[in-house]
Amino acid sequence: MVNKEEFRKKIIITAGQIFSRFGFRKTTMDEIAKALKMGKSSIYYYFQSKEDIFEAVVLYEANVLRNELTTAIKSVESPVGKMEKYVFVRMKAFEKLSNYYNAIFDKNLDHFDFIEKIREKYDREEIAILRLLLYDGVRKKVFTVANSEYTALAIQTTLKGLEVPLFWKKKEVNIDQRLHAILDVLFKGILIK
Amino acid sequence: MVNKEEFRKKIIITAGQIFSRFGFRKTTMDEIAKALKMGKSSIYYYFQSKEDIFEAVVLYEANVLRNELTTAIKSVESPVGKMEKYVFVRMKAFEKLSNYYNAIFDKNLDHFDFIEKIREKYDREEIAILRLLLYDGVRKKVFTVANSEYTALAIQTTLKGLEVPLFWKKKEVNIDQRLHAILDVLFKGILIK
DNA sequence: AAATTCTTCGAATGAACCGGTCGATAATTC
DNA sequence: GAATTATCGACCGGTTCATTCGAAGAATTT
């Protein structure tokens, strides 16, 4: 191995794939080890515990999401496009992540308070981004917003509302459809006539 | 409950959803019971064992697939359309079913020989359908096939080849793309010039 | 309404599983 | 060839899980 840190990352990515598929509980150390073609005990050379791996995965995944989101909004010019892109990428990511959450709501997972921390931090970042998108739209005379802070908060609340069914049942999700509808409403209520 | 058989079916459908998501091994009786809003022990009034439920689910699912396939090919007129539709529906179904298989390849699942039986029966049926589709195409002067039996077998082999990556890794599957390519090749090699 | 049958369930059980430890032993570095 | 780094098999104790069993709640029959 080139480097211990390198290999930790490999573990994080591999474990992340399994976690995201089966959740924390249903994923076993043996599976992770097998996927890495190594003995179960070897993993403990790199991580203290299963929970530690999980934490690292969530941290890593949060970073990936952050990057995806920032590149996503950079890839489009128009305020409407940026907002659309942001919302889509965000929801797509949460769809993928829903299994992590399912795992967490699973049982007595009180000791995962770091998730709460991440979520809070991420929420603040999201508000900031949304406010920026709104502000940019206003500057370009495409949006009309009384108070960007409050509007950003409102949008975030809506997005969180969309998350719920994802974590509720894996059944058919008409998310796309509802997403379009919501964006439509959002813009029609926001755009300068 | 209206009827014991009715309720067995309900169990099969509910259990099927969970099995298809987590596989045989990772699905617990408690989960099935909870999804049915009943005590775990109650399930044993309807089924002898977890394996029995699994068998019933696979049987049921095989039937569903059969129906989907026959209605699919009936929904289109042209031989090319029939063949396309058949192949698409079949691959879509196998994509969904891949988790079942993952479950089976999991461990020492030797006692699931009924799967082998079903597969054999299904393979024979598939050959029959494919041969019919080919024969129909020939009759309508759209296909030109030397020996419909052999050609049907060749097509089936190709389809099975497509299954492999599904059961290999859950990773991004560019199945759709490859499917199109294969159908293209198939028709170009088969169609009357 | 008593008896009988159908259905549900909580508690118990024994076996398998699983996260984590430990000491041995390769593999690599110095 | 000693020291350090990395891997692993075997094991442990607690947990989980499929399954059993007997009790008892509903429903039906007598």
Side-chain angles (χ1 to χ4, degrees), chain A residues 17 21-22 26-28 31 35 99 102 169-171, chain B residues 17 21-22 26-28 31 35 99 102 169-171:
Chain A
Q17 290 169 354
R21 180 138 174 237
F22 295 118
K26 283 180 188 288
T27 298
T28 71
E31 277 175 309
N99 263 348
N102 272 333
K169 268 287 176 190
K170 189 67 179 178
K171 303 274 25 201
Chain B
Q17 290 169 354
R21 179 141 176 235
F22 295 118
K26 285 178 189 288
T27 298
T28 72
E31 278 174 309
N99 262 349
N102 271 332
K169 270 285 176 192
K170 189 68 179 178
K171 302 275 23 203

Side-chain angles (χ1 to χ4, degrees), chain A residues 6-181:
Chain A
E6 197 80 16
F7 201 74
R8 278 175 58 96
K9 188 171 174 184
K10 194 174 168 191
I11 294 178
I12 289 172
I13 291 171
T14 305
Q17 290 169 354
I18 307 180
F19 277 138
S20 81
R21 180 138 174 237
F22 295 118
F24 179 78
R25 191 98 189 293
K26 283 180 188 288
T27 298
T28 71
M29 292 298 279
D30 254 326
E31 277 175 309
I32 298 173
K34 203 152 295 178
L36 287 160
K37 295 186 207 305
M38 69 186 330
K40 175 173 60 162
S41 20
S42 305
I43 296 181
Y44 287 87
Y45 181 69
Y46 297 95
F47 287 95
Q48 296 256 359
S49 68
K50 189 182 172 187
E51 292 197 9
D52 274 3
I53 299 178
F54 188 66
E55 175 161 349
V57 166
V58 173
L59 243 46
Y60 178 81
E61 218 60 67
N63 254 335
V64 169
L65 174 56
R66 197 199 324 277
N67 289 339
E68 278 178 1
L69 285 176
T70 50
T71 59
I73 57 177
K74 273 183 197 149
S75 75
V76 187
E77 242 332 286
S78 77
V80 170
K82 277 184 195 295
M83 184 67 79
E84 278 179 346
K85 200 86 184 240
Y86 178 88
V87 170
F88 271 104
V89 171
R90 187 204 128 110
M91 292 317 293
K92 216 41 107 183
F94 272 80
E95 207 170 337
K96 189 185 109 194
L97 255 56
S98 67
N99 263 348
Y100 290 81
Y101 278 79
N102 272 333
I104 292 160
F105 294 150
D106 222 13
K107 265 282 177 72
N108 52 323
L109 284 283
D110 316 324
H111 28 41
F112 280 134
D113 44 353
F114 73 92
I115 297 255
E116 209 47 48
K117 291 261 175 56
I118 292 176
R119 179 84 208 209
E120 276 171 29
K121 182 163 167 252
Y122 177 77
D123 275 0
R124 278 196 303 277
E125 287 179 15
E126 174 155 72
I127 294 277
I129 292 176
L130 286 173
R131 204 170 37 192
L132 213 68
L133 291 183
L134 286 174
Y135 190 74
D136 183 55
V138 170
R139 197 172 51 78
K140 289 180 179 161
K141 300 221 192 299
V142 181
F143 295 160
T144 167
V145 180
N147 181 325
S148 66
E149 173 73 26
Y150 287 159
T151 308
L153 219 76
I155 295 175
Q156 190 186 44
T157 306
T158 310
L159 293 179
K160 284 195 181 187
L162 272 178
E163 287 173 27
V164 176
L166 282 179
F167 303 138
W168 204 251
K169 268 287 176 190
K170 189 67 179 178
K171 303 274 25 201
E172 25 65 54
V173 253
N174 49 344
I175 287 287
D176 273 14
Q177 205 179 338
R178 285 171 61 186
L179 210 50
H180 275 296

Side-chain angles (χ1 to χ4, degrees), chain B residues 156-182:
Chain B
Q156 189 186 44
T157 305
T158 310
L159 293 179
K160 284 195 179 186
L162 273 178
E163 286 173 27
V164 175
L166 283 179
F167 303 138
W168 203 251
K169 270 285 176 192
K170 189 68 179 178
K171 302 275 23 203
E172 26 64 55
V173 252
N174 50 344
I175 288 286
D176 273 14
Q177 205 181 336
R178 286 171 59 184
L179 210 50
H180 274 296
I182 285 167

